[in-house]
Structures are given as C-alpha cells and as structure tokens.
C-alpha cells in the first residue's frame, strides 16, 4: 500500500525503555528475538509497510549500538531514519521524537519497539483511517478475560484488595500500537501534558489517552494477536514461537 502523500506521514518508533520487567540487563530494544535485536524486527516492518516519508527512533540516551543499527538501515532504499535521545518516560520519548520531525510532516504513527511482530496490515489499517479523515486512530482487540476494578480492602487481614465493580467486557478493548494522529492534534495534546509531574507522566502509557483528554474522537481499527507487546519473558517465548516455531507457517492472521 502506498498512502497518498507518503512523505507527509512519519513513523515514530519509541525504543528508549530499559526493559526492567524483561530482565535481560540491557535496553529492551537490543534483546534478541530469534537471532536479531527486537528493534531491527520493528524497523524492518515499518520500512516494508512503505507508508513513511520519515522514520524517527527514540533511543536510550547515548546508545551507540542502537544508533548504529538504525544507521545501518539508512540507505537510499529506505526513508530517512532520524534518531533522538529518548526521555525518562515513554511520553517524554515521544515528545523528543516529535521535535525532530521534518517540516512537511502532517501525520504520524507511533509504534512501540517492544511490538516487533506487528503485521504490515495493521500499519496500513491505521494509515488508511488517518487518510480517511480521522485525527486519531488506534488498533485494538476485544478483551478475552473478565476485568475487575479493585480497591484496597477494608479488612487487610483477609486480603489486600476487594472488587469494586465489573465493567461490561463487550465494551472493553485491549489497545496496541501503531497509534496514528494528525500531527497538530498530537503536538497540542503533548503540549497540554507538559505540566504533568513525573508520577503523572509515568502513568501516560499511550498517546491516545492524551488526545482523549483534549476531547478528540479516537477511532478504533482491528489490531492483531501477533502485535503482542514484549513485556516479560513469557511474551518473548511466545514471539519466538510465532517467528520460528511450528505455528509460523500457519500464522496468516493480519
Ligand atoms: N519507552 C521509551 N522511553 C521510555 C520508556 C519506554 O521509548 N522512557 C518505549 C519502550 O522502549 C517500548 C514502549 O515505550 O518500546 C513501551 O514501553 P514498555 O513496554 O514499558 O518498555 P520498557 O519501559 O523498556 O520496559 P519496562 O517498563 O519493563 O522497563
Ligand atoms: Mg516501561
């Protein structure tokens, strides 16, 4: 798919996290999935989606290895790849990348490096929905677990938490990336969040929530089970099984 005005769409890849929960003692973007670093999988799919006029990657500050990995892809065959130093939180990493976009960019997709197996079809669905006029769009899947809202229990001697309520599962979605935005809308939403303190910034786990706070409609398209986020070792096991295991040849879901 070639989106109209391709050079006006940038893809930001946030890869500046430390990967505490994965526990490899290295930046998560460097952790091998199969035989290659997680970030390389993610970047390769961004490139093969052929939607980006610019790719901007937020890296752990001063990480020469990951910068070299990005530069190794930066040839005439690929869109321009820019790297920036990320920040202490995901939201700050996004903000650093937003400041480095080319002047002609009018729309942006933001992808977690930690979702190395997001299929190109998901990038296309998000880009097409932006092209159709959405100011914000996210990929999502129905929630399969029953989800509870909990609160601290009054009788901590029995158990620490109690159930407060059970939201209607039919209305719940599990949200993924890439999330797509009109650039002015997203910049405004991030500017409005500039006054948040460190704890509040830590709680900004995706970009759509900042745009929602500004009252903008956020459209939802179908995500993909293979777009899982690698958070802990179990996720890595699953991703490697999808890549190389007996399921791979049968794994046709987009
Ligand atoms: N991210 C980032 N800058 C940060 C924190 C996170 O760019 N300061 C990115 C991560 O690199 C990842 C995505 O945001 O691609 C989602 O974050 P998460 O899964 O929490 O990754 P980490 O922060 O690396 O993991 P952990 O929270 O376990 O340390
Ligand atoms: Mg994190």
């Amino acid at each position: 798919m070639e989106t109209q005005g391709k050079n006006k769409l940038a893809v930001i890849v946030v890869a500046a996290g430390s990967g505490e929960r994965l526990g490899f003692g290295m930046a998560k973007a460097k952790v091998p999935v199969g035989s290659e670093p997680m970030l390389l999988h993610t970047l390769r799919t961004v490139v093969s989606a052929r939607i980006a006029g610019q790719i901007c990657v937020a890296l752990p500050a001063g990480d020469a290895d990951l910068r070299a990995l990005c530069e190794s892809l930066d040839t005439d065959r690929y869109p321009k790849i820019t790297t920036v130093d990320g920040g202490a939180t995901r939201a700050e990493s996004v903000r650093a990348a937003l400041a480095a976009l080319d002047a002609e960019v009018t729309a942006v997709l933001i992808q977690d490096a930690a979702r190395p197996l997001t299929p190109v079809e998901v990038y296309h669905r998000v880009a097409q929905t932006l092209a159709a006029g959405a100011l914000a769009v996210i990929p999502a899947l129905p929630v399969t677990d029953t989800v509870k809202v909990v609160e601290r229990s009054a009788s901590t001697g029995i158990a620490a938490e109690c159930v407060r309520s059970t939201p209607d599962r039919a209305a719940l979605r599990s949200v993924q990336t890439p999330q797509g935005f009109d650039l002015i809308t997203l910049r405004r939403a991030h500017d409005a969040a500039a006054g948040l303190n460190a704890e509040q910034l830590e709680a900004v786990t995706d970009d759509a929530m900042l745009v929602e706070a500004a009252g903008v409609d956020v459209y939802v398209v179908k995500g993909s089970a293979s777009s899982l986020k690698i958070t802990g070792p179990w996720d890595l096991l699953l991703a490697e099984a999808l890549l190389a295991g007996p399921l791979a040849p049968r794994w046709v879901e987009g």
Side-chain angles (χ1 to χ4, degrees):
M1 183 196 97
E2 297 269 355
T3 320
Q4 267 188 337
K6 177 174 148 185
N7 59 354
K8 295 185 173 170
L9 180 69
V11 176
I12 289 174
V13 176
V14 280
S18 56
E20 290 292 316
R21 288 167 292 176
L22 192 54
F24 267 61
M26 63 170 85
K28 189 154 73 178
K30 270 187 203 161
V31 170
V33 181
S35 56
E36 294 177 319
M38 197 176 302
L39 178 61
L40 186 56
H41 288 278
T42 311
L43 284 178
R44 208 186 276 127
T45 313
V46 171
V47 166
S48 59
R50 297 169 65 89
I51 52 170
Q54 181 186 4
I55 298 171
C56 183
V57 190
L59 297 174
D63 193 316
D65 296 338
L66 286 174
R67 189 168 328 122
L69 184 150
C70 294
E71 284 165 4
S72 74
L73 285 173
D74 195 4
T75 71
D76 291 346
R77 289 194 301 132
Y78 297 116
K80 176 176 164 191
I81 299 184
T82 315
T83 60
V84 294
D85 283 345
T89 62
R90 186 186 181 283
E92 289 166 292
S93 295
V94 171
R95 197 177 303 155
L98 285 174
L101 296 184
D102 292 343
E104 66 264 29
V105 171
T106 56
V108 65
L109 263 56
I110 303 183
Q111 170 68 5
D112 290 334
R115 297 182 191 271
L117 303 185
T118 302
V120 290
E121 289 82 357
V122 178
Y123 288 89
H124 291 171
R125 284 198 278 275
V126 173
Q128 278 162 352
T129 308
L130 277 181
L135 294 178
V137 52
I138 59 172
L141 289 178
V143 170
T144 52
D145 288 327
T146 297
V147 175
K148 306 279 184 191
V149 178
V150 299
E151 59 193 5
R152 274 175 66 88
S153 157
S155 306
T156 47
I158 301 175
E161 291 178 342
C162 246
V163 171
R164 187 194 301 166
S165 62
T166 306
D168 174 16
R169 191 173 68 187
L172 296 176
R173 298 290 178 271
S174 204
V175 170
Q176 305 178 333
T177 66
Q179 300 190 344
F181 303 93
D182 163 68
L183 184 57
I184 292 174
T185 303
L186 185 64
R187 280 206 168 119
R188 267 194 205 130
H190 272 270
D191 288 348
L196 299 182
N197 64 33
E199 194 185 344
Q200 290 166 324
L201 277 173
E202 192 66 50
V204 179
T205 50
D206 78 348
D207 298 284
M209 59 194 281
L210 296 179
V211 170
E212 288 156 43
V216 173
D217 285 339
V218 178
Y219 290 88
V220 181
V221 296
K222 188 167 133 340
S224 166
S226 34
S227 192
L228 77 163
K229 182 160 77 75
I230 299 189
T231 304
W234 178 259
D235 306 311
L236 190 56
L237 206 64
L238 186 53
E240 293 197 320
L242 289 174
L243 257 188
L247 203 55
R250 289 183 277 129
W251 193 259
V252 292
E253 181 245 9

